[in-house]
Amino acid sequence: MAKTKVIQTTGTRKRSVARATLVAGKGKVMVNDRLLEAYEPELARLRMQEPLILAGEMAKEVNIKVNVFGGGIQSSADASRLAIAKALVQHAGKTSKLKEEFLAYDRQLLVADVRFKEPCKPNVSKARKKRQKSYR
């Protein structure tokens, strides 16, 4: 019996963390135990579908299961998108031109955006601007 190749990748964006598992299959994509076609809102779903559309026929021969938690709707979508794209590139192998295609389309498909919300400072309600003093 031949061993099936299982690829596990992660993607992060702000506070969201997505873990994707790719196995051989028939093109089924599940996000948090829901089919990607049923994922709402539509804008987030379309963002997650971008690497699948760019991969073309290769995306139809694998099943991808994504578990994403933390953050908001858009950051969850971006983290999932990153994890899916990384898994597809790893599945395609080094000889494939998929990596260059992803980078030409959008660098954020393969490179995580490391920006975070800056934490609030002590005794101030905001991250940056302090209260102005009237004396001195």
Side-chain angles (χ1 to χ4, degrees):
M1 185 172 138
K3 278 184 126 182
T4 57
K5 188 173 166 185
V6 177
I7 296 171
Q8 292 184 322
T9 57
T10 60
T12 59
R13 174 75 174 107
K14 294 185 181 177
R15 295 270 176 204
S16 296
V17 178
R19 293 187 180 103
T21 305
L22 183 142
V23 292
K26 295 181 176 160
K28 195 163 81 169
V29 181
M30 302 285 284
V31 179
N32 288 346
D33 298 322
R34 281 191 289 175
L35 280 171
L36 182 60
E37 290 79 35
Y39 195 85
E40 289 293 328
E42 186 183 4
L43 189 64
R45 178 177 66 240
L46 292 173
R47 253 180 105 65
M48 284 190 258
Q49 285 176 335
E50 285 176 353
L52 300 167
I53 294 167
L54 289 171
E57 287 299 314
M58 191 185 69
K60 291 185 174 89
E61 43 192 63
V62 292
N63 287 347
I64 302 171
K65 186 175 183 185
V66 181
N67 183 16
V68 62
F69 59 93
I73 295 167
Q74 288 303 327
S75 66
S76 295
D78 284 346
S80 302
R81 174 182 189 239
L82 177 62
I84 291 169
K86 280 182 175 179
L88 288 170
V89 167
Q90 201 171 333
H91 175 73
K94 295 185 180 193
T95 57
S96 176
K97 297 196 184 307
L98 189 63
K99 185 175 180 179
E100 289 81 27
E101 196 175 322
F102 280 170
L103 289 172
Y105 178 76
D106 184 8
R107 190 169 182 266
Q108 300 301 317
L109 280 170
L110 296 176
V111 180
D113 189 350
V114 295
R115 295 177 296 170
F116 257 79
K117 177 185 172 291
E118 189 170 330
C120 292
K121 304 302 181 283
N123 304 323
V124 183
S125 63
K126 301 188 256 181
R128 301 233 174 144
K129 193 176 175 188
K130 310 288 188 276
R131 288 198 187 270
Q132 200 170 22
K133 294 182 179 176
S134 60
Y135 59 91
R136 275 192 221 164

